[in-house]
Amino acid sequence: MTDFMGPPWQADWTKEAEGNRTALPVEARALVDAARAELVIAADPYFRGIDTDRDLPAAMSVEPVQSTRPGGQHVLYFDHGRGWLRYQFTRRTTDPQIVITECFWQ
């Protein structure tokens, strides 16, 4: 039986998301980087279960994009909801990975 790899997870950005991150002011990029750091060290990047996101800083929360697809895309809100990262987690045996598809901050 093969054990799954655990955190820290590999995180990649789509070109559009990385471009949006790069265009942000320095202070906002620091917030994005802190949110990404929380995501890659989480035991379960989908934060499934009751109160599993309680270890996130008070300014962050996670929810699925569609409640009917708990294994699909999720959104990590940061800076009290002023920004978010939309991502998909793929749990594979050899190369589990988080792909960030959208980065936004207002």
Side-chain angles (χ1 to χ4, degrees), residues 28-105:
R29 272 189 302 224
L31 294 169
V32 170
D33 291 344
R36 180 195 169 276
E38 291 292 336
L39 197 55
V40 299
I41 63 168
D44 178 4
Y46 280 160
F47 297 91
R48 289 175 271 236
I50 298 171
D51 293 335
T52 54
D53 62 351
R54 70 177 176 262
D55 293 332
L56 286 173
M60 293 183 194
S61 64
V62 174
E63 67 182 34
V65 172
Q66 294 179 325
S67 62
T68 57
R69 298 192 58 191
Q73 285 198 341
H74 276 58
V75 178
L76 170 64
Y77 296 100
F78 60 92
D79 195 18
H80 301 283
R82 291 183 63 200
W84 63 79
L85 299 177
R86 183 184 293 233
Y87 66 94
Q88 174 82 35
F89 177 62
T90 306
R91 190 180 212 29
R92 298 182 288 228
T93 324
T94 56
D95 188 25
Q97 146 183 41
I98 296 168
V99 177
I100 300 170
T101 59
E102 184 178 355
C103 174
F104 179 82
W105 182 80

Coordinates of all heavy atoms in Angstrom, one line a residue, residues 28-105:
A28 N -0.4 44.0 -0.8 CA -1.4 43.0 -1.2 C -0.8 41.6 -1.6 O -1.3 40.6 -1.2 CB -2.3 43.4 -2.3
R29 N 0.4 41.7 -2.2 CA 1.1 40.4 -2.6 C 1.5 39.7 -1.3 O 1.5 38.5 -1.2 CB 2.3 40.7 -3.4 CG 2.0 40.8 -4.9 CD 3.3 40.8 -5.7 NE 4.0 42.1 -5.3 CZ 4.5 42.9 -6.1 NH1 4.6 42.7 -7.3 NH2 5.1 44.0 -5.6
A30 N 1.9 40.5 -0.3 CA 2.3 39.8 1.0 C 1.1 39.1 1.6 O 1.2 38.0 2.1 CB 2.8 40.9 2.0
L31 N -0.1 39.7 1.5 CA -1.4 39.0 2.0 C -1.6 37.7 1.1 O -2.0 36.7 1.7 CB -2.6 39.9 1.9 CG -2.5 41.2 2.8 CD1 -3.7 42.1 2.4 CD2 -2.7 40.7 4.2
V32 N -1.4 37.8 -0.2 CA -1.6 36.6 -1.0 C -0.6 35.6 -0.7 O -1.0 34.4 -0.6 CB -1.5 37.0 -2.5 CG1 -1.4 35.8 -3.4 CG2 -2.6 38.0 -2.9
D33 N 0.6 35.9 -0.5 CA 1.6 35.0 -0.1 C 1.3 34.3 1.2 O 1.5 33.1 1.4 CB 3.0 35.6 -0.1 CG 3.5 36.0 -1.5 OD1 2.9 35.5 -2.5 OD2 4.4 36.8 -1.5
A34 N 0.8 35.1 2.2 CA 0.4 34.5 3.5 C -0.8 33.5 3.3 O -0.8 32.4 4.0 CB 0.0 35.6 4.5
A35 N -1.7 33.8 2.5 CA -2.8 32.9 2.2 C -2.4 31.7 1.6 O -2.8 30.6 1.9 CB -3.9 33.6 1.4
R36 N -1.5 31.8 0.6 CA -0.9 30.6 -0.1 C -0.2 29.7 0.9 O -0.3 28.5 0.9 CB 0.0 31.0 -1.2 CG 0.6 29.9 -2.0 CD 1.8 30.3 -2.8 NE 2.5 29.2 -3.3 CZ 3.4 28.5 -2.7 NH1 3.8 28.9 -1.4 NH2 4.1 27.5 -3.2
A37 N 0.6 30.4 1.8 CA 1.3 29.6 2.8 C 0.4 28.8 3.7 O 0.7 27.6 4.0 CB 2.2 30.5 3.6
E38 N -0.7 29.4 4.1 CA -1.7 28.6 4.9 C -2.3 27.4 4.1 O -2.5 26.4 4.7 CB -2.8 29.5 5.3 CG -2.4 30.6 6.3 CD -2.1 30.0 7.7 OE1 -2.5 28.9 8.0 OE2 -1.3 30.7 8.4
L39 N -2.4 27.6 2.8 CA -3.0 26.6 2.0 C -2.0 25.4 1.8 O -2.5 24.3 1.9 CB -3.3 27.2 0.6 CG -4.2 26.5 -0.3 CD1 -5.6 26.2 0.3 CD2 -4.4 27.3 -1.6
V40 N -0.8 25.7 1.6 CA 0.2 24.6 1.3 C 0.5 23.8 2.6 O 1.0 22.7 2.5 CB 1.4 25.0 0.6 CG1 1.1 25.6 -0.8 CG2 2.3 26.0 1.4
I41 N 0.3 24.4 3.8 CA 0.7 23.6 5.0 C -0.5 23.0 5.6 O -0.4 22.2 6.6 CB 1.4 24.5 6.0 CG1 0.5 25.6 6.5 CG2 2.7 25.0 5.5 CD1 1.0 26.4 7.7
A42 N -1.7 23.2 5.1 CA -2.9 22.5 5.7 C -2.9 21.0 5.5 O -2.5 20.5 4.4 CB -4.2 23.1 5.0
A43 N -3.3 20.3 6.5 CA -3.4 18.9 6.4 C -4.3 18.4 5.3 O -4.1 17.5 4.6 CB -3.8 18.3 7.7
D44 N -5.4 19.1 5.2 CA -6.4 18.9 4.1 C -6.7 20.3 3.5 O -7.5 21.1 4.1 CB -7.7 18.3 4.7 CG -8.8 18.0 3.6 OD1 -8.5 18.3 2.4 OD2 -9.9 17.6 4.0
P45 N -6.2 20.5 2.3 CA -6.4 21.9 1.6 C -7.9 22.2 1.4 O -8.2 23.3 1.1 CB -5.7 21.8 0.3 CG -4.6 20.7 0.6 CD -5.3 19.7 1.5
Y46 N -8.8 21.2 1.5 CA -10.2 21.5 1.3 C -10.9 21.7 2.6 O -12.1 22.1 2.7 CB -10.9 20.3 0.6 CG -10.7 20.3 -0.9 CD1 -10.9 19.2 -1.6 CD2 -10.4 21.5 -1.6 CE1 -10.7 19.2 -3.0 CE2 -10.2 21.5 -2.9 CZ -10.4 20.4 -3.6 OH -10.2 20.4 -5.0
F47 N -10.2 21.6 3.7 CA -10.7 21.9 5.1 C -12.1 21.3 5.3 O -13.0 21.9 5.7 CB -10.8 23.5 5.3 CG -9.5 24.1 5.2 CD1 -9.0 24.6 4.0 CD2 -8.7 24.3 6.3 CE1 -7.7 25.2 3.9 CE2 -7.4 24.9 6.2 CZ -7.0 25.4 5.0
R48 N -12.1 20.0 5.0 CA -13.4 19.2 5.2 C -13.7 18.9 6.6 O -12.7 18.7 7.4 CB -13.3 17.9 4.4 CG -13.4 18.2 2.9 CD -13.2 16.9 2.2 NE -11.8 16.6 1.9 CZ -11.2 16.4 0.8 NH1 -12.0 16.3 -0.3 NH2 -10.0 16.2 0.7
G49 N -14.9 18.9 7.0 CA -15.3 18.6 8.3 C -15.7 19.8 9.1 O -15.6 20.9 8.7
I50 N -16.2 19.6 10.3 CA -16.7 20.7 11.2 C -15.4 21.4 11.8 O -14.6 20.7 12.4 CB -17.6 20.1 12.3 CG1 -18.8 19.5 11.6 CG2 -18.0 21.2 13.2 CD1 -19.7 18.7 12.6
D51 N -15.4 22.7 11.7 CA -14.4 23.5 12.3 C -13.0 23.2 11.9 O -12.0 23.4 12.6 CB -14.5 23.4 13.9 CG -15.7 24.0 14.4 OD1 -16.3 24.9 13.8 OD2 -16.1 23.6 15.5
T52 N -12.8 22.6 10.7 CA -11.4 22.3 10.3 C -10.6 23.5 9.9 O -9.4 23.4 9.8 CB -11.4 21.3 9.1 OG1 -12.2 21.8 8.1 CG2 -11.9 19.9 9.6
D53 N -11.3 24.6 9.6 CA -10.6 25.8 9.2 C -10.4 26.7 10.4 O -10.0 27.9 10.3 CB -11.3 26.6 8.1 CG -12.7 27.1 8.5 OD1 -13.2 26.7 9.5 OD2 -13.2 27.8 7.7
R54 N -10.6 26.2 11.6 CA -10.4 27.0 12.8 C -8.9 27.4 13.1 O -8.6 28.3 13.8 CB -11.0 26.3 14.1 CG -10.2 25.1 14.5 CD -10.8 24.5 15.8 NE -10.1 23.3 16.2 CZ -10.5 22.1 15.9 NH1 -11.7 22.0 15.3 NH2 -9.8 21.0 16.2
D55 N -8.0 26.7 12.5 CA -6.6 27.0 12.6 C -6.2 28.1 11.7 O -5.0 28.6 11.8 CB -5.8 25.7 12.4 CG -6.0 24.7 13.5 OD1 -6.3 25.1 14.6 OD2 -5.8 23.5 13.2
L56 N -7.0 28.5 10.8 CA -6.7 29.6 9.9 C -6.7 30.9 10.7 O -7.5 31.0 11.6 CB -7.7 29.7 8.7 CG -7.6 28.7 7.6 CD1 -8.7 28.8 6.6 CD2 -6.2 28.8 6.9
P57 N -5.9 31.9 10.3 CA -6.0 33.2 10.9 C -7.4 33.8 10.8 O -8.2 33.4 9.9 CB -5.0 34.1 10.1 CG -4.1 33.1 9.5 CD -4.9 31.8 9.3
A58 N -7.8 34.6 11.7 CA -9.2 35.2 11.8 C -9.6 35.8 10.5 O -10.8 35.9 10.2 CB -9.3 36.2 12.9
A59 N -8.7 36.3 9.7 CA -9.1 37.1 8.5 C -9.2 36.1 7.3 O -9.5 36.6 6.2 CB -8.0 38.1 8.1
M60 N -9.1 34.8 7.5 CA -9.2 33.8 6.4 C -10.3 32.8 6.6 O -10.6 32.4 7.7 CB -7.9 33.1 6.2 CG -6.8 33.9 5.8 SD -5.3 32.9 5.5 CE -4.1 34.2 5.4
S61 N -10.9 32.4 5.5 CA -11.9 31.3 5.5 C -11.9 30.6 4.2 O -11.4 31.1 3.2 CB -13.3 31.8 5.9 OG -13.7 32.7 4.8
V62 N -12.4 29.3 4.2 CA -12.5 28.5 3.0 C -13.9 28.0 2.8 O -14.5 27.6 3.7 CB -11.5 27.3 3.1 CG1 -11.6 26.4 1.9 CG2 -10.1 27.8 3.3
E63 N -14.3 27.9 1.5 CA -15.5 27.3 1.2 C -15.5 26.7 -0.2 O -14.7 27.2 -1.1 CB -16.7 28.3 1.3 CG -16.7 29.4 0.3 CD -17.9 30.4 0.6 OE1 -18.3 30.6 1.7 OE2 -18.3 30.9 -0.5
P64 N -16.3 25.7 -0.5 CA -16.3 25.2 -1.9 C -17.0 26.2 -2.8 O -17.9 26.9 -2.4 CB -17.1 23.9 -1.8 CG -17.9 24.0 -0.5 CD -17.1 24.9 0.4
V65 N -16.7 26.2 -4.1 CA -17.3 27.0 -5.0 C -18.8 26.6 -5.2 O -19.7 27.4 -5.3 CB -16.6 27.0 -6.4 CG1 -17.3 27.8 -7.5 CG2 -15.2 27.7 -6.2
Q66 N -19.0 25.3 -5.3 CA -20.3 24.7 -5.4 C -20.5 23.7 -4.3 O -19.7 22.8 -4.1 CB -20.5 23.9 -6.7 CG -20.4 24.8 -8.0 CD -20.6 23.9 -9.2 OE1 -20.1 22.8 -9.3 NE2 -21.2 24.4 -10.2
S67 N -21.5 23.9 -3.5 CA -21.8 23.0 -2.3 C -22.0 21.6 -2.8 O -21.8 20.6 -2.0 CB -22.9 23.5 -1.5 OG -24.1 23.5 -2.3
T68 N -22.5 21.4 -4.0 CA -22.7 20.0 -4.5 C -21.5 19.3 -5.0 O -21.5 18.1 -5.3 CB -23.8 20.0 -5.6 OG1 -23.3 20.9 -6.7 CG2 -25.1 20.6 -5.1
R69 N -20.4 20.0 -5.0 CA -19.1 19.4 -5.4 C -18.0 19.7 -4.4 O -17.1 20.5 -4.6 CB -18.7 20.0 -6.8 CG -19.6 19.7 -7.9 CD -19.1 20.0 -9.2 NE -17.9 19.2 -9.4 CZ -17.0 19.4 -10.4 NH1 -17.2 20.3 -11.3 NH2 -15.9 18.7 -10.5
P70 N -18.1 19.0 -3.3 CA -17.1 19.3 -2.2 C -15.7 18.9 -2.5 O -14.8 19.3 -1.9 CB -17.6 18.4 -1.0 CG -18.5 17.4 -1.7 CD -19.0 18.0 -2.9
G71 N -15.5 18.1 -3.6 CA -14.1 17.8 -4.0 C -13.7 18.6 -5.2 O -12.6 18.4 -5.7
G72 N -14.5 19.6 -5.6 CA -14.1 20.5 -6.7 C -13.3 21.7 -6.2 O -12.7 21.7 -5.2
Q73 N -13.5 22.8 -7.0 CA -12.8 24.0 -6.7 C -13.3 24.6 -5.4 O -14.4 24.5 -5.0 CB -13.0 25.1 -7.8 CG -12.2 24.7 -9.0 CD -12.0 26.0 -9.9 OE1 -12.8 26.9 -9.8 NE2 -11.1 25.9 -10.8
H74 N -12.3 25.3 -4.7 CA -12.6 25.9 -3.4 C -12.1 27.4 -3.5 O -11.2 27.7 -4.4 CB -11.9 25.2 -2.3 CG -12.7 24.1 -1.7 ND1 -13.1 23.0 -2.5 CD2 -13.2 23.8 -0.5 CE1 -13.8 22.2 -1.8 NE2 -13.8 22.6 -0.5
V75 N -12.5 28.2 -2.6 CA -12.1 29.6 -2.5 C -11.5 29.8 -1.1 O -12.2 29.5 -0.1 CB -13.2 30.6 -2.8 CG1 -12.8 32.0 -2.6 CG2 -13.8 30.4 -4.2
L76 N -10.3 30.3 -1.0 CA -9.7 30.8 0.2 C -9.8 32.3 0.3 O -9.2 33.0 -0.5 CB -8.3 30.3 0.3 CG -7.5 30.9 1.5 CD1 -8.0 30.4 2.8 CD2 -6.0 30.5 1.3
Y77 N -10.7 32.8 1.2 CA -10.8 34.2 1.3 C -9.8 34.7 2.3 O -9.5 34.0 3.3 CB -12.2 34.5 1.9 CG -13.3 34.2 1.0 CD1 -14.1 33.0 1.1 CD2 -13.6 35.0 -0.1 CE1 -15.1 32.7 0.2 CE2 -14.7 34.7 -1.0 CZ -15.4 33.5 -0.8 OH -16.4 33.2 -1.7
F78 N -9.2 35.9 2.1 CA -8.2 36.4 3.0 C -8.5 37.9 3.1 O -9.3 38.5 2.4 CB -6.8 36.1 2.5 CG -6.4 36.7 1.2 CD1 -5.9 37.9 1.0 CD2 -6.7 35.9 0.0 CE1 -5.5 38.4 -0.2 CE2 -6.3 36.4 -1.2 CZ -5.8 37.7 -1.4
D79 N -7.8 38.6 4.0 CA -7.9 40.0 4.3 C -9.4 40.3 4.6 O -10.0 41.3 4.0 CB -7.4 40.8 3.2 CG -7.2 42.3 3.5 OD1 -7.2 42.6 4.7 OD2 -7.1 43.1 2.6
H80 N -10.1 39.5 5.4 CA -11.5 39.7 5.8 C -12.4 39.7 4.6 O -13.3 40.5 4.5 CB -11.6 41.0 6.6 CG -10.8 41.0 7.9 ND1 -11.2 40.2 9.0 CD2 -9.6 41.5 8.2 CE1 -10.3 40.4 9.9 NE2 -9.3 41.2 9.5
G81 N -12.1 38.9 3.6 CA -13.0 38.8 2.4 C -12.6 39.8 1.3 O -13.3 39.8 0.2
R82 N -11.6 40.6 1.5 CA -11.3 41.6 0.4 C -10.6 40.9 -0.7 O -10.5 41.5 -1.8 CB -10.4 42.7 1.0 CG -11.2 43.6 2.0 CD -10.3 44.7 2.5 NE -9.9 45.6 1.3 CZ -8.9 46.4 1.4 NH1 -8.1 46.5 2.5 NH2 -8.6 47.2 0.3
G83 N -10.0 39.8 -0.5 CA -9.3 39.0 -1.6 C -9.6 37.6 -1.5 O -10.1 37.1 -0.5
W84 N -9.3 36.9 -2.6 CA -9.5 35.4 -2.6 C -8.6 34.7 -3.6 O -8.1 35.3 -4.5 CB -10.9 35.0 -2.8 CG -11.5 35.4 -4.2 CD1 -11.2 34.8 -5.4 CD2 -12.3 36.5 -4.5 NE1 -11.9 35.4 -6.4 CE2 -12.6 36.5 -5.9 CE3 -12.9 37.5 -3.7 CZ2 -13.4 37.4 -6.5 CZ3 -13.7 38.5 -4.4 CH2 -13.9 38.4 -5.7
L85 N -8.4 33.5 -3.3 CA -7.6 32.5 -4.2 C -8.6 31.4 -4.5 O -9.1 30.8 -3.6 CB -6.4 32.0 -3.5 CG -5.3 32.9 -3.1 CD1 -4.2 32.2 -2.4 CD2 -4.8 33.7 -4.3
R86 N -8.9 31.2 -5.8 CA -9.7 30.0 -6.2 C -8.7 29.0 -6.6 O -7.8 29.2 -7.3 CB -10.6 30.4 -7.4 CG -11.5 29.3 -7.8 CD -12.3 29.6 -9.0 NE -13.2 30.7 -8.7 CZ -14.5 30.6 -9.0 NH1 -15.0 29.5 -9.6 NH2 -15.3 31.6 -8.7
Y87 N -8.9 27.7 -6.1 CA -8.0 26.7 -6.3 C -8.6 25.3 -6.4 O -9.8 25.1 -6.0 CB -6.9 26.7 -5.2 CG -7.5 26.3 -3.8 CD1 -7.4 25.0 -3.4 CD2 -8.0 27.2 -3.0 CE1 -7.9 24.6 -2.2 CE2 -8.6 26.9 -1.8 CZ -8.5 25.6 -1.4 OH -9.0 25.2 -0.1
Q88 N -7.9 24.4 -7.0 CA -8.3 23.0 -7.1 C -7.2 22.2 -6.5 O -6.0 22.4 -6.8 CB -8.5 22.7 -8.6 CG -8.7 21.2 -8.9 CD -10.2 20.8 -8.7 OE1 -11.1 21.6 -8.9 NE2 -10.4 19.6 -8.2
F89 N -7.5 21.2 -5.7 CA -6.5 20.3 -5.1 C -6.6 18.9 -5.8 O -7.7 18.4 -5.8 CB -6.7 20.2 -3.6 CG -5.8 19.2 -2.9 CD1 -4.4 19.4 -3.0 CD2 -6.2 18.1 -2.3 CE1 -3.5 18.6 -2.3 CE2 -5.4 17.2 -1.7 CZ -4.0 17.4 -1.7
T90 N -5.5 18.4 -6.2 CA -5.5 17.1 -6.9 C -4.6 16.2 -6.0 O -3.4 16.4 -5.9 CB -4.9 17.2 -8.3 OG1 -5.7 18.1 -9.0 CG2 -5.0 15.8 -9.0
R91 N -5.3 15.2 -5.4 CA -4.6 14.3 -4.5 C -4.1 13.1 -5.3 O -4.9 12.3 -5.6 CB -5.5 13.9 -3.3 CG -4.7 13.1 -2.2 CD -5.7 12.8 -1.2 NE -5.5 12.7 0.2 CZ -4.6 13.3 1.0 NH1 -3.8 14.1 0.5 NH2 -4.6 13.0 2.3
R92 N -2.8 13.1 -5.6 CA -2.3 12.0 -6.3 C -1.2 11.3 -5.5 O -0.7 12.0 -4.6 CB -1.6 12.4 -7.6 CG -2.6 13.1 -8.6 CD -1.9 13.5 -9.9 NE -1.1 14.6 -9.6 CZ -1.1 15.7 -10.3 NH1 -1.8 15.8 -11.4 NH2 -0.3 16.7 -10.1
T93 N -0.9 10.1 -5.7 CA 0.1 9.4 -4.9 C 1.5 10.0 -5.1 O 2.2 10.2 -4.1 CB 0.1 7.9 -5.3 OG1 -1.1 7.5 -5.7 CG2 0.6 7.1 -4.2
T94 N 1.9 10.2 -6.3 CA 3.2 10.7 -6.5 C 3.4 12.2 -6.5 O 4.5 12.7 -6.2 CB 3.8 10.1 -7.8 OG1 2.9 10.6 -8.9 CG2 3.9 8.6 -7.8
D95 N 2.4 12.9 -6.9 CA 2.6 14.4 -7.0 C 1.3 15.1 -6.7 O 0.7 15.7 -7.6 CB 3.1 14.7 -8.4 CG 3.5 16.1 -8.6 OD1 3.8 16.8 -7.6 OD2 3.4 16.6 -9.8
P96 N 0.9 15.1 -5.4 CA -0.3 15.9 -5.1 C 0.0 17.4 -5.3 O 1.1 17.8 -5.1 CB -0.5 15.6 -3.6 CG 0.7 15.0 -3.1 CD 1.5 14.5 -4.3
Q97 N -1.0 18.1 -5.7 CA -0.8 19.5 -6.1 C -2.0 20.4 -5.9 O -3.1 19.9 -6.1 CB -0.2 19.5 -7.5 CG -0.5 20.6 -8.4 CD 0.0 20.4 -9.7 OE1 0.0 19.4 -10.3 NE2 0.5 21.5 -10.3
I98 N -1.7 21.6 -5.6 CA -2.8 22.7 -5.6 C -2.5 23.5 -6.8 O -1.4 24.0 -7.0 CB -2.6 23.5 -4.3 CG1 -2.9 22.6 -3.1 CG2 -3.6 24.7 -4.3 CD1 -2.5 23.3 -1.8
V99 N -3.6 23.8 -7.6 CA -3.5 24.7 -8.7 C -4.4 25.9 -8.4 O -5.6 25.8 -8.2 CB -3.9 24.0 -10.0 CG1 -3.8 25.0 -11.2 CG2 -3.0 22.8 -10.3
I100 N -3.7 27.1 -8.3 CA -4.5 28.3 -8.0 C -4.8 28.9 -9.4 O -4.0 29.2 -10.2 CB -3.6 29.3 -7.2 CG1 -3.2 28.6 -5.9 CG2 -4.3 30.6 -7.0 CD1 -2.2 29.4 -5.1
T101 N -6.2 29.0 -9.6 CA -6.7 29.4 -10.9 C -7.1 30.9 -10.9 O -7.3 31.5 -12.0 CB -7.9 28.5 -11.4 OG1 -8.9 28.6 -10.4 CG2 -7.4 27.1 -11.5
E102 N -7.3 31.5 -9.8 CA -7.7 32.9 -9.7 C -7.2 33.5 -8.5 O -7.2 33.0 -7.4 CB -9.3 32.9 -9.7 CG -9.8 34.3 -9.7 CD -11.3 34.4 -9.8 OE1 -12.0 33.3 -9.9 OE2 -11.9 35.5 -9.7
C103 N -6.7 34.7 -8.7 CA -6.2 35.6 -7.6 C -6.8 36.9 -7.7 O -6.7 37.6 -8.7 CB -4.6 35.6 -7.7 SG -3.9 36.8 -6.4
F104 N -7.5 37.4 -6.6 CA -8.1 38.7 -6.6 C -8.0 39.4 -5.3 O -8.0 38.7 -4.3 CB -9.6 38.4 -6.9 CG -10.4 39.7 -7.0 CD1 -10.5 40.5 -8.1 CD2 -11.1 40.1 -5.8 CE1 -11.2 41.7 -8.1 CE2 -11.8 41.3 -5.9 CZ -11.9 42.1 -7.0
W105 N -7.8 40.7 -5.4 CA -7.8 41.5 -4.2 C -8.3 42.9 -4.5 O -8.0 43.4 -5.6 CB -6.4 41.6 -3.6 CG -6.3 42.4 -2.4 CD1 -6.6 41.9 -1.1 CD2 -5.9 43.7 -2.2 NE1 -6.4 43.0 -0.2 CE2 -5.9 44.1 -0.9 CE3 -5.5 44.7 -3.1 CZ2 -5.6 45.3 -0.4 CZ3 -5.2 46.0 -2.7 CH2 -5.2 46.3 -1.3

